């Protein structure tokens, strides 16, 4: 992906304030920070989003995310940490190379609105769970 911003960071063509790097992942500071310490963890190969993420990269990126989350907590003294991960335009994704946001959170920082939720009846939950089991069975 010649013009992908995050591929260009991996190749060293664009600057990044790096936090951590291993064979499969790279972690660096977000240039638009919700709070100081707002970090991004990306996979090194170009993968558009979670729908294309293979098992080994998924394992590697979550391992790095856990390490970065501990570092964010230790370095910022935040009260909590929120992970945010967006996929496709409708999911809020703006850079189309898989990444996880690691957000330091502070008590009552009112950073993220929570979605309005309803409590579906049990038969609706059971029916949806069955549809998802079928979808999973086709994704072996
Ligand atoms: P998302 O909206 O979840 O796709 O997040 C993309 C994030 O990438 C945004 O929060 C941007 O601020 C961040 N971003 C874009 N370009 C860069 C860059 N060159 N270095 C670091 N972060 C970036
Ligand atoms: Zn890319």
């Amino acid at each position: 992906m010649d013009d992908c911003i995050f591929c260009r960071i991996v190749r060293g063509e664009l600057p990044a304030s790096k936090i951590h790097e291993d064979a499969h992942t790279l972690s660096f500071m977000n240039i638009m920070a919700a709070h100081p310490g707002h970090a991004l963890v990306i996979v090194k190969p170009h993968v558009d989003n979670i729908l294309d993420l293979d098992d080994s990269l998924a394992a590697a990126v979550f391992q790095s995310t856990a390490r970065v989350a501990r570092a964010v907590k230790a370095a910022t003294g935040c009260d909590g940490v929120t992970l945010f991960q967006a996929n496709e335009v409708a999911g809020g994704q703006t850079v189309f190379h898989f990444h996880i946001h690691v957000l330091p959170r502070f008590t009552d920082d009112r950073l993220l609105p929570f979605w309005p939720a309803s409590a579906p009846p049990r038969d609706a939950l059971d029916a949806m769970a069955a549809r998802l089991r079928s979808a999973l069975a086709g994704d072996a």
Side-chain angles (χ1 to χ4, degrees):
M1 291 298 257
D2 289 350
D3 56 357
C4 168
I5 293 171
F6 289 173
C7 283
R8 295 189 66 196
I9 287 175
V10 170
R11 291 197 298 267
E13 296 168 6
L14 290 176
S17 300
K18 294 183 183 177
I19 305 163
H20 173 262
E21 180 167 10
D22 60 25
H24 305 294
T25 73
L26 179 63
S27 305
F28 51 91
M29 302 315 301
N30 193 329
I31 48 169
M32 295 291 291
H35 280 309
H38 182 166
L40 297 173
V41 183
I42 74 169
V43 293
K44 282 185 170 174
H46 183 88
V47 176
D48 281 354
N49 58 49
I50 199 167
L51 304 172
D52 290 330
L53 196 64
D54 70 33
D55 286 353
S56 63
L57 279 180
V61 78
F62 209 68
Q63 194 169 70
S64 295
T65 299
R67 296 179 69 175
V68 169
R70 289 190 288 271
V72 164
K73 170 87 180 167
T76 68
C78 58
D79 302 313
V81 176
T82 297
L83 303 183
F84 178 78
Q85 200 282 308
N87 302 283
E88 304 186 287
V89 172
Q93 188 175 11
T94 61
V95 174
F96 298 93
H97 177 130
F98 180 88
H99 56 279
I100 300 175
H101 295 253
V102 181
L103 283 171
R105 300 295 307 279
F106 297 88
T107 304
D108 297 328
D109 66 9
R110 299 176 191 273
L111 199 59
L112 291 174
F114 284 93
W115 49 83
S118 60
R122 177 61 59 190
D123 59 351
L125 294 174
D126 287 345
M128 182 54 76
R131 287 175 64 184
L132 296 181
R133 285 195 300 273
S134 296
L136 270 174
D139 183 36

